[in-house]
Amino acid sequence: MAYDPNNIFAKILRGEADAHVVLDEEHCLGFMDLMPQSSGHTLIIPREPAESIFDLSAETLAVLVATTRRVARAVKAAFEPAGMMILQLNGADAGQTVFHIHFHVIPRYPGEGLTLHARSVAAPAQLREHAARIRAELDSAQTTD
Ligand code: 5GP
């Protein structure tokens, strides 16, 4: 399937759709998932247009993975979850619903299951507050790797 430049993440990258951004860098953008599966669910995407991990350049993939870990560290510091899922889906049959490659950072809390994937939109005020907490951790981070 050819990359669709009108997918929602491409629109967010072009500034045509809003997002609660936590990180805005040369190669990657990080923002809150609109329909979080847990408190602090964050997405990291490359600026390079690629549908899945199979279409992305090796150079950008390396930056994307390192950036994902950096954002995940900030989410960990901000939300102090017991565990953290970092995942990435390729193809509709794997559950991918937005066809611009992205990593999910999903904090896990004791005794709390996940809400359903891409199902309930969170309150904007909550997403704004969560993004601010993650941005604050990224700003004060001691490491850049
Ligand atoms: P996928 O199913 O492709 O792995 O994940 C897509 C993710 O994007 C889902 O977790 C879904 O909640 C999220 N999502 C879908 N539409 C939007 C949107 O307009 N804005 C944001 N921030 N997230 C979205």
Side-chain angles (χ1 to χ4, degrees):
M1 200 160 77
Y3 179 81
D4 174 8
N6 287 319
N7 74 73
I8 185 65
F9 293 173
K11 289 182 178 173
I12 289 172
L13 280 171
R14 290 195 297 268
E16 294 167 10
D18 288 337
H20 293 90
V21 171
V22 301
L23 170 139
D24 186 350
E25 294 184 345
E26 184 183 358
H27 297 292
C28 297
L29 191 72
F31 51 91
M32 304 313 296
D33 195 297
L34 186 64
M35 295 165 267
Q37 291 191 258
S38 73
S39 219
H41 184 169
T42 307
L43 303 171
I44 302 90
I45 69 175
R47 294 190 183 281
E48 182 179 319
E51 221 181 275
S52 78
I53 200 164
F54 304 110
D55 311 308
L56 191 65
S57 68
E59 293 76 14
T60 303
L61 177 61
V63 177
L64 178 61
V65 170
T67 305
T68 296
R69 186 172 68 163
R70 192 149 46 88
V71 172
R73 279 202 189 105
V75 172
K76 193 163 179 270
F79 291 86
E80 300 184 340
M84 177 88 77
M85 288 165 55
I86 298 178
L87 54 93
Q88 190 273 315
L89 310 177
N90 298 284
D93 290 310
Q96 185 176 5
T97 57
V98 177
F99 295 93
H100 181 111
I101 181 177
H102 49 280
F103 275 90
H104 293 262
V105 167
I106 306 178
R108 298 301 305 267
Y109 306 96
E112 279 186 33
L114 294 177
T115 58
L116 287 175
H117 184 61
R119 204 57 73 86
S120 329
V121 174
Q126 186 189 64
L127 293 176
R128 196 176 313 118
E129 194 260 323
H130 286 181
R133 278 160 66 179
I134 297 166
R135 276 199 311 272
E137 293 297 339
L138 282 166
D139 288 347
S140 67
Q142 301 296 312
T143 62
T144 52
D145 66 353

